[in-house]
Amino acid sequence: MIDDGAALTLLMRFAKTLVEHYDLDDVLTDLAGELRSVLDVAGAGVMLTDEHEDLRFVSSSDETLKQLEDLQIELDEGPCLRAYRTAQRVLATDLRDDPQFPRFGPRAVDAGRLAVFSYPLHYEEQVFGALNLYRREPGKLDERQEELGAAFSDIATLYLM
């Protein structure tokens, strides 16, 4: 369940920060940490491309997610990479038996994350990375969680621009 007051406060805070001086790493780290409670998910992380167009982990709400983000890069497989490569949302609702991610899925489940939702960070044709939301239980996000996930991915994209 979404905390409406916390979601509104977070949206206002990040909108205000956009028109002020900010440190990108700090903003993305703060965003990942805040999304956990606002969207009622187990955690959130952000992956971005570097100057060589390689995807890299930049922020996470906790160490487990950092390891899972790094694992996707190591395996060259996972929802976050797919969102980045296709510029489309990837909604992996049950990693216990998701045929899309045969190597990543079981390792995520072993780490206690049974679902992941990845949103591309993109503007027109250019994709910068992905925002990733993890859950400890299988199942879909509700419509409001999914919409807010997309809104926060758009906000993160604006910071990158």
Side-chain angles (χ1 to χ4, degrees), residues 64-89:
T64 298
L65 296 191
K66 178 189 180 316
Q67 292 170 0
L68 289 174
E69 302 280 283
D70 287 340
L71 178 63
Q72 290 186 67
I73 293 169
E74 177 187 321
L75 296 174
D76 195 34
E77 172 188 293
C80 310
L81 291 174
R82 179 159 299 156
Y84 167 71
R85 291 174 177 157
T86 65
Q88 300 292 318
R89 288 182 197 174

Side-chain angles (χ1 to χ4, degrees), residues 17-35:
T17 305
L18 275 170
V19 297
E20 299 175 348
H21 177 73
Y22 59 86
D23 178 86
L24 182 60
D25 288 339
D26 289 345
V27 166
L28 294 176
T29 298
D30 190 27
L31 179 63
E34 293 289 336
L35 285 178

Side-chain angles (χ1 to χ4, degrees), residues 120-139:
L121 304 177
H122 64 94
Y123 178 75
E124 294 181 351
E125 302 298 318
Q126 188 171 8
V127 183
F128 304 100
L131 169 70
N132 314 299
L133 306 174
Y134 289 84
R135 291 181 60 182
R136 287 189 176 92
E137 62 280 332

Side-chain angles (χ1 to χ4, degrees), residues 81-112:
L81 291 174
R82 179 159 299 156
Y84 167 71
R85 291 174 177 157
T86 65
Q88 300 292 318
R89 288 182 197 174
V90 175
L91 309 174
T93 61
D94 192 343
L95 292 170
R96 295 175 299 185
D97 61 0
D98 191 326
Q100 302 176 90
F101 311 112
R103 294 180 298 148
F104 172 75
R107 306 264 300 266
V109 170
D110 288 346

